[in-house]
Amino acid sequence: MDLRVGIIGCGMIGKEHAKRLQYKIQGVTVTAVCDVFEEGAKAASELVGGVRVYTDAAELINDPEVDAVVVTTPGNYHKDSILKAITAGKPVFTEKPLTTTAAECKEIVDAEIASGKHLVQVGFMRRYDRGYNQVKELIETGEFGAPLVLKCTHRAESVADDYTTEMAVTDTAIHEIDVLPWLIGGDEWDEVQCIMPKITKNAHEGLKDPQVMIMKTKGGVVCMLEVNVNCGFGYDINCEVVCEDGVINLPCPSFPTTRRNFEVATAIEKNWILRFIDSYDVELQDWVDNVKAGTTGGSSAWDGYTAAITADALVASQKTGKTEKVITGGMPEFYKK
Ligand code: ISE
């Protein structure tokens, strides 16, 4: 029988996931959608064939025809829906970040532990990206020796006017914060620093862009991450893993190479939805399969919590310019696989 899913939050990513779950992913049916803006919920409902519409998340969560919940509201509204889903004993997939503060993430971790069941998956889709998985597999062969340095870029063509300096960490670098320790075999962040270079002329008033984040793991691996969200030339994600006996580079999306006008050229992806479209598909299929099998995959609530702690330290460093410690207090038994 299909897993019956309700979606809370019908903005851009909510609509994308609704269509994806209804028409691409196997073994699942979207039965309800919810948004505080009824018009938004109705529009999403139409996209998936006309399903039940709610404006109150609690009502959707308690609908007997909703077995599991997908949360796609803005990050600062995640907490209540996730806690209510846990109370109802229903599995919940939430888009990243888990919530926007470490304190709220901790409430979710505590509630999940108290429920005794693994119910939460955080939508850090890069763990499902083919390229990152290929890099991980190469590291795991051992042929390149141990990873030492990670050189990464997270560039976007431009951002909306409400994108803030803090969001360079909490909304953007949060992906590298989650994926890199996983990539190199389960290391943990130890200390982080954010350095502010000269501000680009392309940034809107008040936004500090680009930013350089230096992050060191407990195992001594150093990451240099350039966040540059007004680069003007496309969505450009790079990750180079410098190891003891060689170097591994994340593959870029493949486009034809053209030769014309004395120039060799290759396109760059336009935005994150297109760059990670396949990863979202694989991620949600895995979530559905796991929920049906009573198992879990991807990033846990604990991963979401430690990412938020790391983000808090980086945001602190944005202001102090100093290196800040990442203190998680250690993984509870509940989350040890
Ligand atoms: C967006 O929400 C994402 O998750 C993208 O992957 C990231 O590149 C972008 O900066 C965020 O705003």
Side-chain angles (χ1 to χ4, degrees):
M1 202 181 114
D2 273 5
L3 181 74
R4 297 167 303 176
V5 166
I7 297 176
I8 303 172
C10 298
M12 181 179 58
I13 191 79
K15 289 198 191 96
E16 288 287 322
H17 282 350
K19 286 188 285 176
R20 176 171 280 118
L21 286 162
Q22 196 74 314
Y23 301 121
K24 269 190 172 174
I25 307 296
Q26 304 297 307
V28 60
T29 303
V30 177
T31 49
V33 293
C34 172
D35 200 291
V36 282
F37 302 107
E38 195 174 9
E39 288 314 308
K42 281 184 178 160
S45 166
E46 289 312 308
L47 286 176
V48 293
V51 299
R52 256 196 308 291
V53 168
Y54 292 100
T55 52
D56 178 355
E59 285 180 21
L60 175 139
I61 291 165
N62 293 316
D63 181 331
E65 287 181 26
V66 167
D67 306 317
V69 174
V70 168
V71 178
T72 43
T73 49
N76 50 330
Y77 295 107
H78 285 179
K79 189 188 87 171
D80 280 355
S81 299
I82 297 171
L83 287 178
K84 283 185 181 123
I86 293 173
T87 304
K90 295 192 180 179
V92 52
F93 175 92
T94 176
E95 255 313 322
K96 51 65 62 171
L98 178 56
T99 73
T100 45
T101 69
E104 284 190 359
C105 291
K106 179 76 169 46
E107 281 184 57
I108 293 170
V109 162
D110 289 345
E112 191 179 37
I113 294 175
S115 82
K117 279 187 264 168
H118 289 271
L119 293 169
V120 181
Q121 178 169 338
V122 186
F124 282 122
M125 75 297 189
R126 290 195 188 183
R127 293 194 188 200
Y128 290 92
D129 179 70
R130 186 146 161 247
Y132 278 102
N133 278 282
Q134 287 169 331
V135 172
K136 187 171 170 60
E137 280 161 26
L138 285 170
I139 294 172
E140 283 168 359
T141 62
E143 286 167 16
F144 292 80
L148 307 171
V149 178
L150 306 166
K151 296 195 290 201
C152 305
T153 70
H154 192 149
R155 301 184 181 126
E157 183 196 359
S158 61
V159 283
D161 285 347
D162 59 358
Y163 185 97
T164 61
T165 297
E166 289 76 22
M167 283 168 75
V169 172
T170 58
D171 202 48
T172 299
I174 197 86
H175 283 291
E176 277 81 7
I177 291 172
D178 176 74
V179 82
L180 295 176
W182 166 87
L183 184 76
I184 58 173
D187 208 343
E188 288 171 39
W189 296 119
D190 182 35
E191 52 184 41
V192 296
Q193 185 183 13
C194 185
I195 297 167
M196 300 292 188
K198 179 179 156 80
I199 297 174
T200 167
K201 67 176 184 343
N202 300 323
H204 59 250
E205 180 78 26
L207 174 63
K208 291 188 178 159
D209 181 51
Q211 299 179 25
V212 175
M213 299 172 199
I214 313 284
M215 310 193 276
K216 190 171 184 183
T217 68
K218 291 201 166 123
V221 179
V222 171
C223 165
M224 297 180 283
L225 167 65
E226 171 202 321
V227 174
N228 179 354
V229 293
N230 288 283
C231 75
F233 57 74
Y235 188 73
D236 190 29
I237 303 301
N238 295 287
C239 173
E240 179 173 293
V241 186
V242 181
C243 302
E244 291 166 315
D245 300 316
V247 174
I248 309 168
N249 269 295
L250 180 73
C252 288
S254 74
F255 287 103
T257 302
T258 57
R259 285 170 167 77
R260 203 168 67 95
N261 289 341
F262 310 98
E263 201 175 84
V264 180
T266 310
I268 298 178
E269 198 55 275
K270 278 200 164 42
N271 58 44
W272 49 273
I273 298 238
L274 295 172
R275 168 66 178 82
F276 287 109
I277 193 163
D278 298 337
S279 322
Y280 286 120
D281 292 349
V282 179
E283 174 184 50
L284 281 172
Q285 185 68 64
D286 188 58
W287 177 66
V288 167
D289 293 347
N290 273 315
V291 169
K292 291 174 83 168
T295 51
T296 49
S299 301
S300 66
W302 178 256
D303 295 320
Y305 173 48
T306 56
I309 294 172
T310 311
D312 279 359
L314 270 168
V315 170
S317 177
Q318 284 183 325
K319 286 156 197 141
T320 63
K322 297 200 180 109
T323 298
E324 303 282 343
K325 277 279 175 195
V326 177
I327 298 160
T328 66
M331 188 189 274
E333 276 307 312
F334 181 80
Y335 290 104
K336 291 186 182 154
K337 291 243 165 94

